[in-house]
Amino acid sequence: MKKYMLPLYIGIIALVITGCSDTKKNENETAMNNPLLAEWTGPYSGTPAFDKMQISDLQQAMEYAMEKHLEEIDAIANNPEAPTFENTLLAMEKAGSLFQRVSVYYGIWSSNMSSPEFREIQNILTPKIADYSSKISQNEALFQRIKTVYENSQSNPLPAEQQRVVDLTYQEFEMKGANLDAEGKKRYAEINKELSSLYNTFSNNVLHDEENYVTYLDENQLGGLSESFIASAKVAAEERGQTGKYAITNTRSSMDPFLTYSTERELREQVWRTYYSRGDNNDAYDNNDIIARILQLRHERVQLLGYDNFAQWRLQDRMAKKPENAMELMEIVWEASLKRVEEEVAEMQAIADAEGADFKIAPWDYRFYAEKVRLAKYDLNSDEVKQYLELNNLTDAIFYVADRLFNYQFTPITDGSVPVFHEDVKVWEVTDKTSGSHIGVFYLDTLARAGKRSGACATQYRTHANYEGKRTVLASNNSNFVKPAPGQPVLISWDDAETFFHEFGHALHFFSSQVTYPSLNGGVRDYTEFQSQLLERWLLTDEVINRYLKHYETGEVMPQELVQKIKNAATFNQGFATTEFLASALMDMLYHTTDPSGINPKEFEKEMLAKLQMPEEIVMRHRTPHFSHVFSSEGYATAYYGYLWADVLTSDAAEAFAEAPGGFYDQEWADKLVKYLFAPRNAMDPAEAYKLFRGREATIDALMRDRGFAPPKQ
Ligand SMILES: [Zn+2]
């Protein structure tokens, strides 16, 4: 699933003060000369000095910037005047600008140009950043001021956007225990401390089992595997001192292709069992007791805050709002998904029977026979598709879509006035096509290189704000396409082209922000992937196909037959994909809505899946003992459903365009798209914003059609 990288400084973050007072003067002087701390200069209201980045300046710049932010926060907290929106909330919005600037450089080193030197500094800074952050969220005097403004606003409401800032800030502090009494706060902190070490142990155990359970094959056990897979398995074995053998490592990227292609059924079973037993081997690295303890501590913590369960606490600021809403959606899709699995299994069984197999399709057979079905029904030659997906054409295509929907114009900046951190990065000025007014700068870093984070992501170096004049946006898209030989085109896969559109959807979401206060740019976990997923749909519009999906040599437009094959393939194997995903998402929610005292995760997983009538041919995408989204941190605990939630909105919104008189380029719908789905960011409740766009709440019917499922019963 595609990653969206939140800028480091979104949310309320802060830092630690280092150094002694007698060295302060020196520190200040050095800081003044640190290029990472300098104001951004040049056109477009200034841009980061990516040409002046030296790793040796980073630690000092980060520490200094965090210290400055904490000083600003202290000044706000200790202001003798009575708390108001202006002297408290607005002042908080304004604070930390130095830290935001330095974080941009930190983010570049972390995501685009990592190195051993950087990782050393990162290890030093990570706990300091955590400290800084908690110094803000646990600042008692600050919270009392926020609370006063919040309480006053309950009888005297503020203008809508200010009220939203107050509500969200108050809620964020409240959710982190700011309202507890001294004893409650003490217990709350103890719980968090124990949890953070349990999260580490959990991840380390998973990592241990991924690294230490390797299946070694002999030369005569390679049936069905591709040459490139065999070559990398050989290297993987050599690296582990098993020269002459072939290693199937215990990771998804190794397991998945092996189960798809290997003709050795017994080995498929072995690799499958090894993979799905990570963290569940009854040894020193077994995660089951750790999970029970995590669930109990989370439960205790939210009970301190007065909630029934963790899910209820967590979902209050999500679009779903309540666990019941997320469960209801999942249960409807689950029913349809199970039916689809039955059909898929029947198709696969027919192929297996015809081949003379005398067994029933087992979980380790699913991928193998699904691939045979795919070849028979949807044969799509990915090399052929690639010839029509040339990167420069696709870049023109995203700009075309931005023009038609957002009225944006992208003009290349080639005079060197905007520094870049690598020669492969390209920059454009974004303007409004009609008025010519400046909107921002777009950075595009498409090619893979050592030190760059894998996958694709979108980020912003400067967010929109309007409380003291318009602050323009600096946004970037990053991907990892293989650098071609000089003069050769970059040809990418269909998946990569979709991701390219996806990340650009995030960028458009950044550029189109109309919020007044920076914190209202924040993402809502089950909503923030929706806009980007939606933009993927424009890749398959006739306008884009006919203008931009052209053969890189002949210029011929992608043939209709090929387009149709791509469309057909979209519903392939959706029973499997949806069921393995939903089993994990449902379990995530069940764990966090159940009283966990005395829970035995192993038993609980078994009982609940039996109750759900989990098909015996499929296993959870992430079984509990290695469900890192949920147990290696709090990031995705009771949030895994969010992918489906965003998918429902995506399908429902896409159907509005499909049915509009002007199709995907219908002007009226495009205006509503920008006005309600993109521009408000988090200045408006997402559910409300969606209703304004669609004229009704989202329904799941479109999602069911997109996945080839039977419509839900009325
Ligand atoms: Zn994304």
Side-chain angles (χ1 to χ4, degrees):
M1 294 183 191
K2 290 130 198 172
K3 270 181 297 182
Y4 160 59
M5 193 172 63
L6 281 173
L8 187 60
Y9 49 82
I10 278 192
I12 315 282
I13 306 186
L15 172 31
V16 88
I17 297 159
T18 57
C20 339
S21 53
D22 57 340
T23 62
K24 202 90 185 175
K25 188 161 170 288
N26 276 344
E27 272 185 6
N28 274 333
E29 274 168 18
T30 330
M32 304 276 273
N33 295 326
N34 189 320
L36 303 185
L37 290 165
E39 287 281 351
W40 294 347
T41 58
Y44 316 115
S45 313
T47 60
F50 290 135
D51 51 344
K52 299 199 173 64
M53 288 171 68
Q54 300 269 7
I55 192 81
S56 52
D57 291 327
L58 181 62
Q59 186 180 346
Q60 184 213 33
M62 284 289 284
E63 288 176 355
Y64 183 83
M66 290 193 277
E67 182 183 334
K68 286 291 147 200
H69 191 190
L70 285 183
E71 284 171 14
E72 289 171 314
I73 291 292
D74 276 341
I76 297 167
N78 301 320
N79 187 340
E81 288 168 33
T84 62
F85 178 83
E86 282 71 23
N87 72 20
T88 305
L89 280 302
L90 181 59
M92 285 171 70
E93 296 280 326
K94 288 182 178 177
S97 59
L98 184 60
F99 180 68
Q100 289 165 21
R101 288 206 306 274
V102 179
S103 300
V104 168
Y105 300 113
Y106 184 87
I108 295 291
W109 269 302
S110 158
S111 307
N112 299 70
M113 3 193 322
S114 186
S115 64
E117 295 98 301
F118 169 73
R119 284 190 284 275
E120 241 173 71
I121 294 168
Q122 190 178 33
N123 283 338
I124 298 168
L125 285 175
T126 301
K128 293 187 175 187
I129 294 170
D131 257 5
Y132 147 81
S133 173
S134 53
K135 277 190 176 162
I136 295 180
S137 61
Q138 287 162 16
N139 187 317
E140 179 62 28
L142 180 69
F143 176 66
Q144 287 311 322
R145 293 182 70 85
I146 295 166
K147 192 174 177 182
T148 303
V149 177
Y150 173 77
E151 281 169 355
N152 291 343
S153 76
Q154 298 305 294
S155 42
N156 281 314
L158 295 160
E161 266 194 287
Q162 294 188 3
Q163 189 65 49
R164 183 106 178 131
V165 170
V166 173
D167 291 348
L168 291 175
T169 310
Y170 177 76
Q171 187 179 40
E172 186 179 346
F173 276 76
E174 194 265 345
M175 283 177 72
K176 287 180 182 163
N179 245 337
L180 292 170
D181 60 18
E183 203 182 320
K185 274 190 179 134
K186 189 169 156 261
R187 181 63 195 139
Y188 190 93
E190 284 166 3
I191 292 173
N192 273 356
K193 203 166 174 192
E194 188 177 346
L195 277 173
S196 63
S197 90
L198 289 167
Y199 295 154
N200 276 342
T201 313
F202 180 93
S203 332
N204 291 339
N205 287 347
V206 175
L207 196 62
H208 172 274
D209 284 4
E210 289 184 351
E211 285 172 351
N212 289 278
Y213 287 89
V214 177
T215 308
Y216 292 101
L217 310 181
D218 293 323
E219 189 104 47
N220 60 2
Q221 297 178 310
L222 305 174
L225 303 175
S226 73
E227 270 176 41
S228 64
F229 186 87
I230 292 171
S232 54
K234 188 169 191 243
V235 172
E238 277 163 11
E239 283 169 0
R240 289 164 178 76
Q242 299 275 343
T243 305
K245 297 209 169 199
Y246 301 84
I248 309 306
T249 59
N250 205 16
T251 59
R252 188 175 294 277
S253 58
S254 202
M255 171 279 292
D256 199 287
F258 185 80
L259 292 189
T260 306
Y261 298 109
S262 171
T263 52
E264 304 279 335
R265 187 163 190 255
E266 274 173 32
L267 283 170
R268 287 207 304 267
E269 178 175 354
Q270 188 185 331
V271 166
W272 181 90
R273 285 195 188 283
T274 309
Y275 183 76
Y276 288 103
S277 300
R278 288 169 301 143
D280 195 22
N281 288 309
N282 253 322
D283 56 10
Y285 304 94
D286 191 288
N287 269 333
N288 286 295
D289 290 347
I290 289 164
I291 292 159
R293 184 71 187 144
I294 288 174
L295 290 168
Q296 285 151 8
L297 287 168
R298 283 178 179 169
H299 191 68
E300 185 190 344
R301 199 184 64 191
V302 301
Q303 293 226 303
L304 284 176
L305 300 172
Y307 296 88
D308 292 343
N309 56 54
F310 182 86
Q312 190 188 61
W313 169 80
R314 181 68 280 171
L315 264 65
Q316 60 183 302
D317 63 349
R318 305 291 198 236
M319 186 172 170
K321 294 193 176 72
K322 292 193 294 191
E324 294 78 14
N325 294 337
M327 283 301 282
E328 191 191 352
L329 166 66
M330 289 193 281
E331 279 165 3
I332 297 170
V333 181
W334 178 251
E335 285 293 308
S337 182
L338 294 189
K339 287 209 185 75
R340 188 78 191 94
V341 168
E342 272 176 38
E343 295 161 11
E344 286 175 7
V345 171
E347 274 184 287
M348 297 191 294
Q349 191 69 55
I351 292 182
D353 292 349
E355 289 178 354
D358 59 348
F359 53 79
K360 272 184 66 198
I361 299 287
W364 43 92
D365 300 319
Y366 211 113
R367 288 172 178 82
F368 183 75
Y369 286 98
E371 177 62 12
K372 290 181 183 250
V373 173
R374 190 185 72 79
L375 284 175
K377 282 179 71 173
Y378 307 98
D379 184 22
L380 194 58
N381 181 334
S382 56
D383 277 334
E384 190 191 351
V385 176
K386 266 187 177 187
Q387 317 285 311
Y388 298 90
L389 301 172
E390 194 272 320
L391 186 57
N392 290 322
N393 285 340
L394 288 165
T395 308
D396 289 341
I398 55 176
F399 294 164
Y400 170 80
V401 172
D403 171 351
R404 293 288 304 268
L405 300 181
F406 290 76
N407 201 37
Y408 288 172
Q409 183 164 336
F410 285 72
T411 312
I413 301 169
T414 51
D415 60 0
S417 61
V418 172
V420 292
F421 47 84
H422 189 278
E423 58 184 8
D424 288 343
V425 180
K426 293 185 183 147
V427 278
W428 284 263
E429 185 192 6
V430 188
T431 51
D432 181 90
K433 210 174 107 185
T434 313
S435 68
S437 70
H438 175 70
I439 291 165
V441 174
F442 180 57
Y443 295 70
L444 185 60
D445 183 14
T446 52
L447 300 177
R449 64 177 166 270
K452 188 168 167 183
R453 180 182 300 187
S454 64
C457 73
T459 187
Q460 42 187 345
Y461 307 142
R462 188 168 61 214
T463 61
H464 174 87
N466 225 349
Y467 60 87
E468 45 187 11
K470 183 173 150 179
R471 188 167 86 188
T472 58
V473 176
L474 305 175
S476 85
N477 275 177
N478 306 274
S479 39
N480 277 282
F481 306 133
V482 179
K483 194 170 184 163
Q488 293 300 303
V490 180
L491 302 177
I492 67 178
S493 69
W494 186 258
D495 267 5
D496 283 344
E498 280 186 334
T499 307
F500 191 64
F501 269 62
H502 176 101
E503 300 306 333
F504 190 63
H506 285 306
L508 289 173
H509 202 184
F510 301 150
F511 284 125
S512 56
S513 170
Q514 291 295 337
V515 305
T516 305
Y517 306 105
S519 67
L520 295 180
N521 283 303
V524 179
R525 179 136 283 162
D526 54 6
Y527 187 61
T528 198
E529 289 301 322
F530 153 56
Q531 286 82 358
S532 49
Q533 285 179 182
L534 183 58
L535 205 90
E536 294 174 29
R537 302 295 179 108
W538 271 264
L539 175 59
L540 261 180
T541 57
D542 291 343
E543 284 82 348
V544 165
I545 294 168
N546 293 327
R547 285 161 189 262
Y548 303 105
L549 304 195
K550 292 183 171 176
H551 194 280
Y552 80 104
E553 279 175 337
T554 65
E556 174 213 8
V557 172
M558 184 182 274
Q560 261 313 307
E561 193 202 346
L562 196 52
V563 173
Q564 198 51 50
K565 273 188 186 173
I566 291 169
K567 287 181 180 171
N568 292 346
T571 55
F572 165 68
N573 216 28
Q574 278 296 330
F576 175 84
T578 306
T579 301
E580 68 156 8
F581 162 81
L582 266 181
S584 288
L586 282 161
M587 286 306 302
D588 173 26
M589 206 54 84
L590 289 169
Y591 275 116
H592 293 97
T593 47
T594 303
D595 181 349
S597 33
I599 196 167
N600 175 337
K602 215 167 173 152
E603 291 300 313
F604 188 77
E605 182 187 284
K606 213 189 243 168
E607 271 169 38
M608 289 298 127
L609 290 176
K611 238 188 196 167
L612 287 166
Q613 298 183 298
M614 178 77 174
E616 55 189 25
E617 298 87 359
I618 297 183
V619 66
M620 292 163 71
R621 182 172 173 84
H622 309 279
R623 279 197 58 232
T624 312
H626 46 254
F627 200 169
S628 296
H629 288 78
V630 175
F631 297 113
S632 74
S633 73
E634 278 176 33
Y636 270 88
T638 66
Y640 200 62
Y641 77 93
Y643 293 106
L644 179 71
W645 192 270
D647 274 350
V648 169
L649 300 175
T650 303
S651 293
D652 190 59
E655 216 162 72
F657 281 96
E659 291 165 357
F664 277 79
Y665 299 89
D666 189 86
Q667 199 53 54
E668 205 179 307
W669 281 100
D671 291 346
K672 282 200 251 186
L673 174 92
V674 179
K675 185 172 174 192
Y676 297 121
L677 300 185
F678 279 69
R681 300 284 318 183
N682 198 16
M684 203 189 275
D685 177 84
E688 215 175 285
Y690 191 82
K691 238 164 111 177
L692 286 169
F693 164 75
R694 199 63 167 96
R696 58 162 173 77
E697 283 172 17
T699 72
I700 66 166
D701 304 32
L703 173 109
M704 303 295 247
R705 282 189 280 276
D706 281 349
R707 297 195 178 195
F709 293 171
K713 289 182 211 96
Q714 295 300 325

